């Protein structure tokens, strides 16, 4: 946070794990479920002055972080539930299959806030089935949801930044650019970041 004027955060799947006692901490004793952990993460972001909601950075640009999860319907070759249970350490009170709808509904109040200029949205999971995913068994069932694309487009997004799959890409579909610039687990010393908006315009170059 001390290196940047503003920092934005969206939760990923590892953030929602309730890890067994002894691996990192006694998370089962600290968090009743993954929703409780999400609330704790939001509180920590508030304490660190990290943004989790929409922000009008200038008259030319705004950033809108979107919560996200995945659904087996994202697998357009076989949209049926799979045999692999991704993120088994998550504890969802609404059930494993209800987590995606829960996370998307958290975005509804954000989407009601008007933003001006170029809107840049971001999420952890993928919003489109055309985006590249790892060639692993049933992986398409655990990487995203097309409902997220409907949300970001309703916000007027022109650039959407996403993660999860660790496959860097920059593509455009129907007037929206989609970018992943995976840095691994943490930013290595000397690693270059990508600028996406500068001096009131969309630009892409290494900082």
């Amino acid at each position: 946070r001390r290196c940047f004027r503003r920092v934005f955060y969206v939760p990923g799947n590892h953030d929602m794990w309730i890890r067994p006692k002894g691996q990192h901490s006694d998370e089962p004793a600290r968090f009743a479920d993954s929703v409780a952990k999400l609330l704790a993460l939001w509180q920590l972001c508030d304490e660190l002055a990290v943004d989790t909601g929409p922000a009008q950075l200038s008259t030319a640009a705004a950033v809108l972080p979107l919560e996200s999860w995945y659904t087996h319907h994202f697998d357009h070759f076989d949209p049926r539930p799979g045999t692999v249970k991704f993120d088994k350490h998550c504890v969802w009170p609404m059930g494993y299959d209800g987590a995606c709808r829960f996370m998307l509904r958290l975005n509804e109040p954000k989407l009601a806030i008007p933003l001006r200029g170029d809107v840049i949205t971001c999420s952890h999971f993928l919003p489109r089935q055309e985006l590249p995913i790892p060639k692993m068994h049933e992986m398409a069932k655990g990487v995203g949801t097309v409902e997220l694309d409907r949300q970001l487009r309703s916000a007027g997004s022109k650039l959407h930044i996403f993660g999860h799959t660790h496959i860097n890409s920059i593509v455009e579909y129907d007037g929206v650019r989609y970018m992943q610039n995976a840095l691994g687990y943490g930013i290595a010393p000397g690693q270059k970041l990508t600028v996406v908006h500068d001096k009131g315009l969309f630009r892409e170059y290494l900082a």
Side-chain angles (χ1 to χ4, degrees), residues 6 15-16 31 33 51 58 69 74 84 104 109 116 148 150 171 175 177 179 188 198 200 205:
R6 303 284 287 270
D15 300 329
M16 297 293 92
F31 310 112
D33 51 40
D51 289 277
S58 69
W69 204 250
F74 196 70
V84 177
L104 290 172
R116 304 186 308 279
L148 181 62
R150 296 189 180 97
V171 293
R177 287 176 69 77
M179 173 187 289
D198 185 24
Y205 62 89

Side-chain angles (χ1 to χ4, degrees), residues 7-79:
V7 174
F8 292 84
Y9 168 78
V10 288
N13 52 316
H14 293 179
D15 300 329
M16 297 293 92
W17 288 4
I18 307 297
R19 294 172 174 84
K21 181 179 180 180
Q23 285 186 254
H24 297 273
S25 65
D26 190 1
E27 290 192 341
R30 296 178 60 197
F31 310 112
D33 51 40
S34 295
V35 175
K37 190 175 183 184
L38 177 60
L39 294 174
L41 286 168
W42 282 346
Q43 181 175 350
L44 179 61
C45 286
D46 283 344
E47 294 169 0
L48 297 175
V50 170
D51 289 277
T52 58
Q56 190 70 51
L57 300 184
S58 69
T59 56
V63 174
L64 173 57
L66 294 172
E67 318 302 334
S68 61
W69 204 250
Y70 49 81
T71 171
H72 56 82
H73 299 290
F74 196 70
D75 185 350
H76 58 94
F77 293 108
D78 180 13

Side-chain angles (χ1 to χ4, degrees), residues 24 39 71 75 83 103 120 133-135 138 145 151 176 199:
H24 297 273
L39 294 174
T71 171
D75 185 350
T83 58
M103 295 295 263
I120 301 169
I133 64 172
K135 295 180 179 179
E138 295 189 344
T145 172
Q151 288 190 335
V176 178
K199 295 182 175 65

Side-chain angles (χ1 to χ4, degrees), residues 119-122 152-160 175-177:
V119 177
I120 301 169
T121 51
C122 58
L152 69 90
R153 287 174 179 274
S154 74
S157 177
K158 296 301 181 184
L159 172 65
H160 184 76
V176 178
R177 287 176 69 77

Side-chain angles (χ1 to χ4, degrees), residues 13-14 16-18 34 69-72 80-99 125 136-143 164:
N13 52 316
H14 293 179
M16 297 293 92
W17 288 4
I18 307 297
S34 295
W69 204 250
Y70 49 81
T71 171
H72 56 82
R80 297 171 299 178
T83 58
V84 177
K85 184 175 182 180
F86 298 96
D87 302 303
K88 63 181 181 180
H89 292 309
C90 290
V91 181
W92 294 111
M94 72 292 297
Y96 181 78
D97 293 329
F125 291 100
M136 298 170 60
H137 180 59
E138 295 189 344
M139 179 58 71
K141 302 180 190 299
V143 296
H164 189 64

